[in-house]
Amino acid sequence: MKAKGMKWLRILHIISVSIWFGGTVCIGALAVICFFNLSETNFLITAPLIPRLYKKIILPIAIFTLLQGLIYGLMTNWGFIKHRWVMLKWIFTFSLIPCIGLGTIGQIFSVIDKVNASGFQGGFSDGRQVLLFISLQILIMLTMIVISVFKPLKKKDAGLRTHIPACTAIR
C-alpha cells in the first residue's frame, strides 16, 4: 500500500476506534444510569436500549475496524504475527467478543428477565455482571490503545546503529 493510502487508512482507523471506544463508554454510562438511578418501570424501558445500541452502533463500527485491521495485516508490512504487539492487539480484539456477546448483551437480557419475574433491586445486585463486562471492554480497549501508541514487545531492528554522542565522535 502506498504512503498516501496508509495515511487515509490510519485516519479511518483512528476515527472508527474512537467511535467504538466512545460508544462503549457511553453504553457503560447508560448502564450505570439504568442500575443506579432508575425506577423499575424506567429500567425496563431504558435497559433494552443497551443491546440495541450494541447492534446499531458498536457492531457495525467494530466490523469496520476489524476490516481495517485485516487490510493493515494483508496489504502493509505490519502483518499479523510479524510484530508481537500487533499479535497482542488481535488477541485482545478477539477477547472483546465474549465480553460483548455473552457478557454484556447476554447478561442484560438475563437481568431484564429477572426484573420482570421478581422485581428490580438496582445497583450492583442487579447490574454487577453487566457493569463488569462493560468495564472489561473499556479496560481491554484502553490497553489496545496504549499498545498502539507505545508498541511494547516491538522487535529491535538489528541494522540500527547505536547512537554515538557528538562529543565522543569528534575525537
Side-chain angles (χ1 to χ4, degrees), residues 1-82:
M1 181 173 277
K2 297 187 193 261
K4 193 171 188 175
M6 275 292 294
K7 288 180 182 181
W8 281 108
L9 181 61
R10 190 173 303 131
I11 289 168
L12 281 175
H13 194 65
I14 290 169
I15 292 169
S16 64
V17 167
S18 299
I19 294 168
W20 186 359
F21 180 70
T24 302
V25 170
C26 289
I27 289 171
L30 179 62
V32 168
I33 291 168
C34 280
F35 290 111
F36 291 98
N37 296 324
L38 297 180
S39 66
E40 181 175 331
T41 305
N42 290 334
F43 174 83
L44 290 171
I45 293 169
T46 308
L49 293 175
I50 293 172
R52 282 193 210 137
L53 288 170
Y54 272 107
K55 182 179 177 183
K56 298 287 185 182
I57 295 171
I58 302 299
L59 183 61
I61 203 70
I63 290 171
F64 184 62
T65 305
L66 288 172
L67 289 174
Q68 293 166 13
L70 289 172
I71 292 170
Y72 267 118
L74 295 171
M75 304 187 112
T76 68
N77 63 351
W78 292 113
F80 294 103
I81 57 174
K82 182 178 177 182

Side-chain angles (χ1 to χ4, degrees), residues 122-139:
F124 288 114
S125 60
D126 283 331
R128 180 181 308 116
Q129 289 184 319
V130 172
L131 296 171
L132 171 70
F133 282 111
I134 292 174
S135 298
L136 280 173
Q137 290 172 61
I138 292 169
L139 182 65

Side-chain angles (χ1 to χ4, degrees), residues 97-138:
I97 294 168
C99 284
I100 294 170
L102 297 173
T104 304
I105 296 173
Q107 292 304 314
I108 196 73
F109 284 127
S110 295
V111 172
I112 291 169
D113 290 343
K114 181 214 155 274
V115 169
N116 280 323
S118 62
F120 181 65
Q121 295 175 355
F124 288 114
S125 60
D126 283 331
R128 180 181 308 116
Q129 289 184 319
V130 172
L131 296 171
L132 171 70
F133 282 111
I134 292 174
S135 298
L136 280 173
Q137 290 172 61
I138 292 169

